[in-house]
Amino acid sequence: MILGIGSDLANIDRIDATLARFGDRFRNRVFTPREQAKADSRPRAIAATYAKRWAAKEACSKALGTGLRMGISWRDMAVSNLSTGQPQMHLSGWAAERLAAMTPQGYTAIVHVTLTDDHPWAQAFVVIEARPNTPHLVPPTA
C-alpha cells in the first residue's frame, strides 16, 4: 500500500548561487558528509548533484506528510547511490520516527526515490510504500 507520495522541482542555478553565497554553511546545514562527497566527486555537476538531493529531501518531507516542519531536519533525510547508480533515501532522527509512526503494524516501509536533471531543473519523486511482513498477505500480481 502507498503511504505517501511527494515530488519537488529545484532550480540548479538557484542552488549554485546559494552554494556560492553561503558555501560550507549551506552545505553543512542541509547535506550529510556522504552527500557532500558525492557532489565533490562530480566537479562538472556539483550544483546539479546538490539540487537533485535538495529536491529529494523536499519530496520526501512531502511524502512523510509534514513538509519541512514539525522537527524534521534536512539532514534527517539523505540520498546515496547503489553501485548501479540507483538512488536510495535514508531516514534518521525525526524523519525515521515519522515514518515508523505512519507505518501500519505488521508492515515494513520502503522509501522509493528517483532523481533527474535537465539544466536548469532538478526533479525528485518519492513514494513511501508499506509491504506486509507476512508473505501470504501480498496481493497476487496479474
Side-chain angles (χ1 to χ4, degrees), residues 85-99:
Q86 178 183 351
Q88 290 184 307
M89 180 66 70
H90 306 275
L91 303 182
S92 62
W94 194 91
E97 291 173 18
R98 171 69 182 147
L99 180 63

Side-chain angles (χ1 to χ4, degrees), residues 52-132:
K52 286 186 282 189
R53 279 147 180 77
W54 172 279
K57 291 167 188 267
E58 286 275 6
C60 185
S61 71
K62 293 171 186 175
L64 289 168
T66 65
L68 284 160
R69 58 184 173 92
M70 296 177 58
I72 200 167
S73 166
W74 287 103
R75 290 172 51 131
D76 286 349
M77 301 165 288
V79 177
S80 69
N81 296 84
L82 297 173
S83 61
T84 61
Q86 178 183 351
Q88 290 184 307
M89 180 66 70
H90 306 275
L91 303 182
S92 62
W94 194 91
E97 291 173 18
R98 171 69 182 147
L99 180 63
M102 65 190 285
T103 304
Q105 188 172 6
Y107 286 77
T108 298
I110 299 158
V111 181
H112 304 277
V113 60
T114 186
L115 309 171
T116 191
D117 67 285
D118 187 7
H119 195 272
W121 301 108
Q123 186 175 36
F125 288 96
V126 171
V127 175
I128 300 174
E129 173 191 10
R131 289 188 186 161

Side-chain angles (χ1 to χ4, degrees), residues 10-24 26-27 46-48 50-51 54 119-120:
N11 185 287
I12 296 169
D13 293 331
R14 180 174 164 241
I15 296 297
D16 194 30
T18 302
L19 287 164
R21 182 172 179 194
F22 297 105
D24 285 342
F26 171 66
R27 275 188 285 275
I46 289 173
Y50 279 123
W54 172 279
H119 195 272

